[in-house]
């Protein structure tokens, strides 16, 4: 079987890129994130993003 890389690899074109000020607010704690306000979808600060990843990893 051919190795195609890490199992959970996210293609680079799907990863949001930090744009710069003004920064979007975290949807949980309302702290500034590393993402620009122009990024669509749900954005988390680094702390909430890590906590959300822990919740989803252990949920099942």
């Amino acid at each position: 079987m051919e190795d195609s890389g890490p199992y959970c690899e996210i293609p680079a074109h799907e990863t949001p890129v930090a744009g710069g000020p003004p920064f979007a607010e975290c949807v949980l704690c309302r702290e500034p994130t590393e993402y620009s306000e122009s990024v669509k979808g749900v954005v988390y600060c680094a702390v909430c993003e890590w906590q959300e990843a822990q919740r989803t990893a252990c949920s099942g």
Side-chain angles (χ1 to χ4, degrees), residues 2-3 5-6 10 15 17-18 20 22-23 25 31 34 38 44 48 50 54 57-58 60:
E2 187 177 316
D3 183 24
I10 299 173
T15 305
V17 179
F23 294 107
E25 287 184 346
E31 290 293 321
E34 61 186 31
S38 64
Y44 299 111
C48 292
W50 181 83
Q54 291 296 312
C58 297

Side-chain angles (χ1 to χ4, degrees), residues 28-49:
L28 297 177
C29 69
R30 302 185 58 99
E31 290 293 321
T33 67
E34 61 186 31
Y35 303 106
S36 173
E37 284 185 346
S38 64
V39 173
K40 303 240 185 285
V42 176
V43 291
Y44 299 111
C45 67
V47 173
C48 292
E49 189 169 354

Side-chain angles (χ1 to χ4, degrees), residues 7-16:
Y7 180 74
C8 295
E9 185 175 333
I10 299 173
H13 67 278
E14 292 182 19
T15 305

